[in-house]
Amino acid sequence: MGYILELLRQYGMSECNPVATPSECITVFDKSCEKLDKIYPYREIIGALMYLSVATRPDIANTVARLAQFVNDPSKAHWNAVKRVLRYLAGTADKGLVYQRTALPLVGYTDADWGGCTSDRRSYTGYAYLLSNAAISWKSQKQRTVALSSTEAEYVSLAEAAKEAVYLRSLLLEIGTKEFTDITIYVDNRGAQCLASDPVYHARTKHIDIKHHFVRECVSKGLFTLAHISTHEMLADVMTKPLARVNHERCRTGLGLTA
């Protein structure tokens, strides 16, 4: 909380009007917007927000990741979007990750926003892992290749989440907490789930980079279990795209960000 209040004070936003979400639902972040007419501390604010999104605030991770692409040439729209993030933080400065004692094992959520970037039509990967009723690891990142279908985008996202699951499982075993390693990863795309569980390589999937099929090996070895979940219950949704207030608050609470 102290970091957020200091950040608001430093950039003259202490008395700003709070908003309910860090980004508008319909927002176009590209290079065609009107350029800034003077120098603003855009790069400095993005750096501060990136630190915050990585450390304790997964709810702003996707918005910050999208805005960070334009640190070399921001526009007025990008500057206004950054100020909106600060306004959102002003209204949620008391929110933080609250962990509770529980015997539940590690659980993960993975999602993708197919073609979410309007500039190059690449998709966004998002995942979050929860332990003790709050997020312990999360990621929001643009995919490096263009996905040709929503299933492919979700599969690539699942592969990224699988790598993190293997690491977290190894960490939990190393510190002697084997009881938490019965990992379940939830996905909301049946096609990606079936693709990950099918050991056969099909003609329609041969264009997918071989590194993404790592998830198949993990499933066959029993390193984690895949389970389907409704899109309306997908907590990683907030890691891939801007959401309306109700959905954003649902995901934020589900990730353990409470007062």
Side-chain angles (χ1 to χ4, degrees):
M1 182 175 179
Y3 181 85
I4 294 176
L5 296 178
E6 174 60 24
L7 185 63
L8 295 172
R9 185 201 63 77
Q10 181 179 353
Y11 294 106
M13 298 288 288
S14 298
E15 303 299 324
C16 65
N17 295 322
V19 292
T21 60
S23 179
E24 297 180 5
C25 287
I26 302 177
T27 304
V28 178
F29 293 140
D30 57 30
K31 299 180 180 179
S32 63
C33 303
E34 183 181 356
K35 302 303 179 183
L36 293 172
D37 54 2
K38 61 179 181 179
I39 298 177
Y40 289 93
Y42 184 87
R43 184 189 299 270
E44 291 80 359
I45 295 181
I46 288 295
L49 292 176
M50 288 184 69
Y51 172 78
L52 190 61
S53 69
V54 169
T56 61
R57 295 299 297 264
D59 53 332
I60 66 171
N62 181 253
T63 302
V64 174
R66 290 172 183 262
L67 292 173
Q69 301 175 74
F70 305 98
V71 291
N72 290 326
D73 189 23
S75 68
K76 287 186 177 181
H78 301 133
W79 176 247
N80 290 333
V82 164
K83 290 197 296 183
R84 182 184 175 91
V85 177
L86 293 177
R87 292 171 60 196
Y88 169 72
L89 291 174
T92 58
D94 61 335
K95 304 294 183 184
L97 293 170
V98 179
Y99 299 95
Q100 303 170 356
R101 187 171 182 175
T102 175
L104 297 176
L106 184 68
V107 60
Y109 296 84
T110 177
D111 195 21
D113 181 26
W114 181 36
C117 181
T118 57
S119 299
D120 53 21
R121 307 313 300 180
R122 294 185 185 181
S123 306
Y124 277 89
T125 285
Y127 66 70
Y129 283 93
L130 278 67
L131 190 62
S132 299
N133 289 337
I136 62 168
S137 177
W138 57 86
K139 184 177 186 178
S140 179
Q141 183 183 56
K142 185 196 291 189
Q143 295 180 3
R144 292 180 173 85
T145 58
V146 177
L148 301 183
S149 66
S150 59
T151 294
E152 182 181 347
E154 296 277 359
Y155 188 60
V156 172
S157 181
L158 178 56
E160 291 297 317
K163 290 189 289 185
E164 185 67 8
V166 172
Y167 163 72
L168 292 175
R169 184 175 186 273
S170 175
L171 178 62
L172 291 172
L173 289 173
E174 186 174 343
I175 62 178
T177 53
K178 184 179 180 180
E179 64 273 19
F180 297 115
T181 59
D182 187 16
I183 304 172
T184 299
I185 300 179
Y186 290 101
V187 296
D188 61 1
N189 185 285
R190 291 285 189 184
Q193 183 181 358
C194 293
L195 188 60
S197 303
D198 187 355
V200 180
Y201 288 84
H202 301 282
R204 292 184 178 180
T205 62
K206 65 182 180 180
H207 66 283
I208 299 177
D209 197 317
I210 191 67
K211 66 182 179 183
H212 301 307
H213 293 302
F214 163 77
V215 66
R216 289 178 171 176
E217 183 179 345
C218 294
V219 172
S220 65
K221 289 183 177 180
L223 298 183
F224 54 76
T225 302
L226 293 180
H228 184 264
I229 194 172
S230 167
T231 300
H232 301 293
E233 300 177 279
M234 173 52 67
L235 300 183
D237 212 19
V238 74
M239 310 296 294
T240 63
K241 64 181 77 68
L243 300 175
R245 177 175 182 171
V246 173
N247 289 333
H248 180 83
E249 291 179 347
R250 171 183 58 80
C251 291
R252 185 180 66 199
T253 302
L255 291 174
L257 276 164
T258 57

